């Protein structure tokens, strides 16, 4: 294996993590974009089943030009892939903005708090705290589910590490991690009436930003956002709506039946079914949904999950016109994470 | 038992009232408990608690009961043992992601909380992670110790103090959720040298 070639090898001494701006919690580019009022873009990276770092860089290639941060998933769907920490180490060396995803399913409080320090030292500015899907839906259903934390106690613990400079054990940190804390929300699944209350609890626990699960039912999302605004939560947390292109009606049906927490209305599946080119229609649908969620007050950005369709992310962003508007409105260059 | 625990959630308001009176009795018994010795009481009380709460709530004896903050639906029955609300995988109709035949413990919890006096406010409080070393021990006795020692100056255990500070609101209502009071030897599985 030839050594990894990156445009600018990351050296934690020569290139320390970006310093937080005044009033900011991290040096994260995502946080800067959000606090400037820009419509932020994050994108999920499809983690390789490989030990070759080039596979990670290849997967990041179509995302890095358009995303303020790339999400490194932590065995999502309880399927084993390269770890989120491994992906972060490669992407941070290449100078990209990253969201480290931490699921409570696989590691206990000792492992997680240690990983957070390691990640922050590598220059990871954003951490997404997740409960995690049950082990039963993954490729190794016999694994032991850990769930030492839940997403809320994890958020509060990381907030304690950052703001109080302590582990949960009370031991002091000589340098606390400067991290922008994220959490997920799934507005389109039951119990709908309590999803906004759950979001409020995540904000109390310490969430600075939210990435939602897939929004295919814009009406339901709009109702959720109405509640969110009524509670004033859109002023306390940045909400990024989760979107993604569907490949076909068949994929949509499969996802709906097999992936926990995905709600796809029949109207969407019908639209894909009727389309002459379902993949093209799936992309168009994604762009339509981006257009619709952008109109909703309180939505601060989009989170694109294009599983096995990463090549489309550039086109989706391009055609949705987010970056063009950002340039026009601010007269400033896009703060690309690859810069 | 599933049917009984769902009955308890449907009658959460009554259970809440009963529990409040019961808690007052337990706390008032602290001087007697102290005379007998918490260490000596631990085993029989934990056994009784397991039988009673096991029947009523399918209690898993986490030792840090927060039922009054979870709509009288025991969060340890969640396959992910979530203490702060449902996950993102709840199925249509409010069923569990992991056990599709079971109602989501947290859908029930919110339902129960909406009928309670204080429950609806208390369910919004962020609960700390459970201290696994306290599994199997009596939460009733822990509540009595916490309330009785609340005003006395106990030398703080730094680890416990940090969790107690980080989850201050939870402790205001359920001090046993992040306990600070001293533990009798029999109540904890953590070896003394590790404390």
């Amino acid at each position: 294996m030839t050594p990894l070639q990156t445009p600018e090898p990351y050296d934690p001494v020569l290139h320390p993590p970006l310093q937080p701006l005044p009033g900011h919690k991290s040096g994260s580019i995502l946080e800067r974009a959000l606090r400037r009022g820009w419509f932020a873009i994050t994108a999920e990276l499809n983690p390789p089943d490989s030990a070759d770092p080039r596979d990670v860089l290849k997967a990041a290639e179509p995302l890095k030009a358009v995303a303020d941060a790339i999400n490194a998933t932590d065995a999502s769907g309880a399927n084993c892939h390269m770890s989120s920490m491994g992906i972060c180490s490669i992407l941070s060396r290449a100078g990209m903005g990253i969201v480290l995803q931490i699921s409570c399913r696989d590691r206990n409080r000792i492992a997680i708090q240690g990983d957070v320090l390691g990640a922050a030292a590598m220059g990871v500015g954003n951490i997404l705290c997740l409960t995690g899907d049950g082990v039963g839906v993954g490729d190794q259903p016999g694994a032991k589910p850990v769930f030492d934390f839940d997403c809320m106690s994890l958020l509060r613990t990381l907030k304690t590490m950052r703001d109080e400079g302590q582990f949960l054990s009370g031991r002091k940190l000589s340098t606390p991690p400067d991290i922008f804390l994220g959490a997920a929300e799934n507005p389109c699944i039951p119990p709908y009436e309590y999803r906004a209350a759950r979001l409020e609890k995540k904000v109390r626990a310490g969430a600075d930003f939210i990435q939602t699960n897939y929004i295919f039912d814009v009406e339901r999302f709009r109702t959720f956002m109405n509640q969110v605004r009524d509670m004033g939560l859109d002023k306390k947390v940045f909400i990024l709506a989760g979107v993604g292109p569907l490949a076909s009606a068949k994929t949509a049906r499969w996802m709906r039946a097999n992936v926990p927490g995905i709600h796809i209305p029949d109207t969407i599946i019908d639209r894909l079914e009727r389309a002459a080119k379902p993949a093209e229609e799936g992309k168009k649908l994604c762009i339509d949904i981006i257009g619709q969620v952008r109109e909703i007050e309180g939505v601060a950005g989009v989170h694109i999950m294009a599983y096995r369709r990463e090549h489309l992310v550039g086109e989706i962003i391009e055609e949705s016109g987010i970056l063009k508007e950002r340039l026009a409105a601010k007269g400033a260059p896009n703060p690309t994470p690859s810069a | 038992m599933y049917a009984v625990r769902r009955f308890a959630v449907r009658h959460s308001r009554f259970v809440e009232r009963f529990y409040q009176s019961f808690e007052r009795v337990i706390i008032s018994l602290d001087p007697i408990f102290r005379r007998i010795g918490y260490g000596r009481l631990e085993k029989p009380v934990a056994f009784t608690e397991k039988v009673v709460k096991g029947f009523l709530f399918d209690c898993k004896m986490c030792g840090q009961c927060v039922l009054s903050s979870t709509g009288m639906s025991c969060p340890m029955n969640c396959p992910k043992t979530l203490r702060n609300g449902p996950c993102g995988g709840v199925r249509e109709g409010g069923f569990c992601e992991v056990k599709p035949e079971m109602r989501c413990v947290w859908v029930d919890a919110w339902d129960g909380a909406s009928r309670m006096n204080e429950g609806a406010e208390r369910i919004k409080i962020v609960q700390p992670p459970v201290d696994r070393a306290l599994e199997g021990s009596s939460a009733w006795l822990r509540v009595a110790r916490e309330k009785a020692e609340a005003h006395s100056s106990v030398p703080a255990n730094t680890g416990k103090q940090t969790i107690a500070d980080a989850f201050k609101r939870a402790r205001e209502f359920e001090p046993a959720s992040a306990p600070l009071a001293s533990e009798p030897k029999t109540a904890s599985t953590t070896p003394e040298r590790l404390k």
Side-chain angles (χ1 to χ4, degrees), chain B residues 91-92 94-103:
Chain B
R91 292 166 192 264
E92 278 309 315
F95 288 90
C96 173
E97 172 201 317
V98 180
K99 295 182 183 171
E101 69 285 358
M102 182 177 90
R103 286 275 292 179

Side-chain angles (χ1 to χ4, degrees), chain A residues 109 131-137 145-154 156-157 160 166-171 186 188-192 194-195 197-198 200-202 204-205 213 220 257 260-263, chain B residues 69 79-95 97-98 104 106-107 110-111 114 121-132 157-160 162-163 165-169:
Chain A
R109 63 190 81 178
T131 298
D133 299 314
V135 293
V137 294
V146 178
F147 297 111
D148 192 18
F149 283 131
D150 56 31
C151 57
M152 310 254 186
S153 50
L154 173 59
R156 184 60 66 79
T157 301
T160 304
Q166 293 181 359
F167 285 119
L168 208 50
S169 67
R171 268 174 47 230
N186 203 349
C188 298
I189 65 153
Y192 317 113
Y194 296 120
R195 287 286 160 192
R198 182 174 179 260
E200 182 183 38
K201 199 164 172 177
K202 289 197 173 183
R204 282 185 184 180
N213 209 314
R220 228 176 237 185
I262 294 192
H263 165 73
Chain B
S69 298
K80 301 182 185 176
T81 62
L82 302 183
R83 307 270 286 186
N84 280 297
C87 67
V90 183
R91 292 166 192 264
E92 278 309 315
F95 288 90
E97 172 201 317
V98 180
C104 167
W106 278 96
V107 170
W110 255 316
D111 187 35
S114 67
E121 271 311 304
R122 283 169 70 160
I123 202 166
K124 295 179 184 167
I125 297 167
V126 183
Q127 296 293 335
V130 287
D131 181 341
R132 313 279 159 175
N157 172 320
T158 31
K160 287 181 168 186
T162 303
I163 297 187
D165 290 345
F167 297 88
K168 212 174 259 162
R169 280 284 287 165

Side-chain angles (χ1 to χ4, degrees), chain A:
Chain A
M1 206 185 283
T2 51
L4 176 67
Q5 295 294 316
T6 56
E8 272 178 70
Y10 179 73
D11 180 330
V13 179
L14 295 176
H15 302 280
L18 284 173
Q19 288 302 307
L21 295 173
H24 288 209
K25 292 171 175 169
S26 73
S28 145
I29 291 161
L30 174 65
E31 181 177 8
R32 291 177 188 200
L34 286 166
R35 292 203 191 277
R36 271 178 214 177
W38 292 1
F39 194 78
I41 305 160
T42 55
E44 191 171 285
L45 181 126
N46 181 13
D49 294 339
S50 149
D52 187 343
R54 283 167 299 197
D55 289 338
V56 176
L57 291 173
K58 213 173 114 198
E61 198 53 45
L63 311 176
K64 69 175 189 189
V66 291
D68 296 309
I70 294 175
N71 276 57
T73 59
D74 187 7
S76 68
N79 288 302
C80 197
H81 303 289
M82 184 191 282
S83 73
S84 49
M85 281 296 279
I87 291 167
C88 283
S89 84
I90 295 163
L91 296 187
S92 64
R93 267 184 261 175
M96 297 180 202
I98 315 159
V99 178
L100 171 78
Q101 299 196 180
I102 296 180
S103 143
C104 298
R105 179 194 54 236
D106 306 319
R107 275 163 302 153
N108 69 8
R109 63 190 81 178
I110 301 172
I112 290 177
Q113 291 174 78
D115 276 354
V116 166
L117 290 187
M122 285 193 287
V124 172
N126 318 287
I127 295 184
L128 186 72
C129 300
L130 301 167
T131 298
D133 299 314
V135 293
V137 294
D139 64 340
Q140 304 186 49
K144 179 175 184 178
V146 178
F147 297 111
D148 192 18
F149 283 131
D150 56 31
C151 57
M152 310 254 186
S153 50
L154 173 59
L155 276 168
R156 184 60 66 79
T157 301
L158 302 195
K159 187 178 158 64
T160 304
M161 287 175 73
R162 179 190 67 195
D163 298 346
E164 311 299 327
Q166 293 181 359
F167 285 119
L168 208 50
S169 67
R171 268 174 47 230
K172 294 265 181 291
L173 304 170
S174 53
T175 303
D178 293 326
I179 40 178
F180 196 45
L181 288 174
E185 188 45 77
N186 203 349
C188 298
I189 65 153
Y192 317 113
E193 62 276 32
Y194 296 120
R195 287 286 160 192
R198 182 174 179 260
L199 181 76
E200 182 183 38
K201 199 164 172 177
K202 289 197 173 183
V203 174
R204 282 185 184 180
D208 301 310
F209 71 98
I210 299 290
Q211 291 177 318
T212 79
N213 209 314
Y214 284 108
I215 307 292
F216 289 113
D217 191 336
V218 178
E219 270 322 298
R220 228 176 237 185
F221 180 61
R222 197 167 279 138
T223 312
F224 167 80
M225 286 304 297
N226 285 344
Q227 290 173 318
V228 165
R229 285 196 307 275
D230 287 345
M231 296 165 91
L233 296 175
D234 58 320
K235 302 278 183 279
K236 294 181 183 162
V237 70
F238 297 104
I239 299 169
L240 283 75
V243 294
L246 291 163
S248 65
K250 199 178 146 205
T251 328
R253 278 204 199 89
W254 184 88
M255 280 170 71
R256 188 162 74 169
N258 295 291
V259 185
I262 294 192
H263 165 73
I264 306 176
D266 290 334
T267 49
I268 298 277
I269 294 182
D270 289 346
R271 187 171 152 182
L272 290 170
E273 199 119 64
R274 282 199 308 272
K277 290 182 184 162
E280 192 59 30
E281 188 65 19
K283 190 184 100 181
K284 214 170 140 265
L285 188 78
C286 179
I287 296 167
D288 284 355
I289 292 176
I290 293 178
Q292 291 176 47
V293 297
R294 283 189 74 189
E295 298 299 312
I296 302 173
E297 197 192 328
V299 175
V302 280
H303 173 50
I304 302 174
M305 295 165 279
Y307 181 65
R308 289 190 180 154
R309 311 192 70 67
E310 288 83 356
H311 57 285
L312 293 178
V313 171
E315 292 171 37
I316 290 171
I317 294 301
E318 182 65 31
E319 289 172 39
S320 69
I322 300 173
L323 292 183
K324 246 179 276 164
E325 277 179 34
R326 200 187 267 190
L327 285 173
K330 308 290 172 188
N334 167 31
T336 45
S338 47

Side-chain angles (χ1 to χ4, degrees), chain B residues 16-189:
Chain B
E16 180 189 36
R17 236 176 298 158
F18 175 81
Y19 241 76
Q20 281 167 347
S21 330
F22 180 68
E23 195 179 276
R24 274 195 293 274
V25 173
I26 289 260
I27 293 166
S28 66
L29 287 175
D30 174 71
I32 301 173
F33 290 160
R34 231 157 260 278
R35 206 165 307 154
I36 305 171
Y38 274 104
R40 214 180 298 167
L41 279 167
E42 181 60 37
K43 255 190 170 169
V45 175
F47 176 78
T48 316
E49 189 172 334
K50 192 175 179 176
V51 172
V52 174
K53 277 163 63 183
F55 174 72
L56 283 175
F57 310 109
D58 279 345
C59 163
K60 298 284 183 279
M61 291 298 282
C62 68
Q64 296 136 87
C65 192
V66 289
L67 271 172
S68 304
S69 298
T70 63
M72 295 295 163
S73 170
C74 171
M76 301 316 271
N77 287 307
C78 164
K80 301 182 185 176
T81 62
L82 302 183
R83 307 270 286 186
N84 280 297
C87 67
V90 183
R91 292 166 192 264
E92 278 309 315
F95 288 90
C96 173
E97 172 201 317
V98 180
K99 295 182 183 171
E101 69 285 358
M102 182 177 90
R103 286 275 292 179
C104 167
V105 166
W106 278 96
V107 170
D108 273 357
W110 255 316
D111 187 35
S114 67
R115 268 190 285 273
M116 290 160 67
N117 250 342
E118 293 182 356
E121 271 311 304
R122 283 169 70 160
I123 202 166
K124 295 179 184 167
I125 297 167
V126 183
Q127 296 293 335
V130 287
D131 181 341
R132 313 279 159 175
L134 304 180
E135 251 165 50
S137 62
S138 166
W140 288 344
L141 293 179
R142 186 158 293 110
V143 169
R145 284 196 298 268
E146 286 300 323
K147 297 265 181 174
E149 287 187 21
H151 304 293
S152 63
S153 55
V154 187
N157 172 320
T158 31
K160 287 181 168 186
Q161 191 64 53
T162 303
I163 297 187
D165 290 345
F167 297 88
K168 212 174 259 162
R169 280 284 287 165
R171 233 190 93 77
E172 272 173 33
F173 292 96
E174 314 254 29
S177 66
L180 280 176
S182 54
E183 294 284 340
K185 272 183 192 147
T186 44
S188 166
T189 53

